[in-house]
Amino acid sequence: MSDEQDKPDATAPETEPVGRHARVVLVDDHRMFRTGVQAEIGRTETTGVEVVGEAADVDQAVTVITATRPEVVLLDVHLPGGGGVEVLRRCAPLMAAADNPVRFLALSVSDAAEDVIGVIRGGARGYVTKTITGTDLVDSIFRVQDGDAVFSPRLAGFVLDAFASTDAPPVDEDLDRLTQREREVLRLIARGYAYKEIAKQLFISVKTVESHVSAVLRKLQLSNRHELTRWATARRLV
């Protein structure tokens, strides 16, 4: 998906009364998308949102978040270096801080069940998709800052089904060993995509795809892509 397709709806946030303020860090590996979000919500005098930092991968995200201690982080699920879940894991002490905890709102093009479960299990306060309007994104930021849980409408029912039962969601220990990017590659391999097609879709090199496939096979103790496809199909990941 192109950066242009990833951008939020162009609806501009309405003017809000002066008096509310949220310091925000944007974490997304697409620079054009970050620029679009900044233009959409970062007019502090109008929206009350101040963008205090940006990051394009896991290491940058952890560094910027630790240095700026924002109220809210807009976090993409798919990032180089381990994905949004890895950012959440490394920022767990900041989320648990007694004073001024850092709160995370996932902002992703993906509405896949495993992506939503992964970041919510990791500690994110909400999950919205990149089709959200600027006005609604600003509102979601302040709701998360206040401690509310926020989800895109089409995800809300799924989240309730997954987490409102008395039984905890099942944990697949094999799947949990994979990074977010490895899961993406796994899913595409299982769907029959060639390495070149996967590289194009994920904006990475063919060599990087090969490295991810090797890592997946090693972690899952599988021998080839046919076994990998059967493994993914059995878990309904395709």
Side-chain angles (χ1 to χ4, degrees), residues 10 20 30-31 63 112 127 138 145 147 155 164 183 190 194-195 212 216-217 222 231 233:
R20 66 179 191 174
H30 290 106
R31 181 183 58 80
T63 298
Y127 195 115
V138 169
Q145 181 186 26
L155 302 181
R183 294 185 194 189
Y195 285 4
H212 285 315
V216 170
L217 293 174
L222 301 174
W231 187 93
T233 302

Side-chain angles (χ1 to χ4, degrees), residues 65 69 88-104 122-125:
I65 294 165
R69 294 294 295 266
L88 291 164
R89 185 187 70 79
R90 291 169 59 178
C91 290
L94 300 179
M95 289 189 284
D99 297 323
N100 304 317
V102 177
R103 294 189 168 100
F104 287 78
R125 294 293 303 174

Side-chain angles (χ1 to χ4, degrees), residues 193-212:
Y193 283 69
Y195 285 4
K196 288 184 179 179
E197 294 172 320
I198 296 172
K200 183 177 180 180
Q201 182 156 336
L202 298 181
F203 303 99
I204 58 179
S205 69
V206 173
K207 185 175 181 179
T208 300
V209 174
E210 293 172 349
S211 296
H212 285 315

Side-chain angles (χ1 to χ4, degrees), residues 39-195:
E40 191 75 18
I41 70 173
R43 294 174 287 111
T44 309
E45 71 284 355
T46 301
T47 64
V49 173
E50 178 187 2
V51 177
V52 297
E54 299 182 13
D57 59 35
V58 170
D59 288 340
Q60 288 180 13
V62 174
T63 298
V64 172
I65 294 165
T66 302
T68 60
R69 294 294 295 266
E71 280 83 30
V72 178
V73 176
L74 293 180
L75 180 68
D76 191 15
V77 174
H78 303 148
L79 293 169
V85 172
E86 179 64 12
V87 176
L88 291 164
R89 185 187 70 79
R90 291 169 59 178
C91 290
L94 300 179
M95 289 189 284
D99 297 323
N100 304 317
V102 177
R103 294 189 168 100
F104 287 78
L105 173 62
L107 175 62
S108 177
V109 70
S110 171
D111 60 1
E114 61 268 28
D115 288 340
V116 180
I117 290 176
V119 295
I120 298 305
R121 183 187 291 159
R125 294 293 303 174
Y127 195 115
V128 295
T129 60
K130 290 180 177 179
T131 56
I132 193 170
T133 66
T135 300
D136 287 344
L137 182 56
V138 169
D139 180 64
S140 297
I141 288 168
F142 283 105
R143 288 174 60 192
V144 167
Q145 181 186 26
D146 291 339
D148 292 342
V150 180
F151 297 94
S152 290
R154 65 177 298 173
L155 302 181
F158 162 74
V159 173
L160 287 173
D161 290 342
F163 292 96
S165 66
T166 55
D167 297 326
V171 176
D172 189 323
E173 294 183 358
D174 289 332
L175 189 60
D176 281 353
R177 281 198 287 269
L178 304 182
T179 67
Q180 198 64 47
R181 182 64 89 187
E182 288 167 354
R183 294 185 194 189
E184 293 176 323
V185 172
L186 163 65
R187 191 179 301 111
L188 293 173
I189 285 288
R191 290 175 180 173
Y193 283 69
Y195 285 4

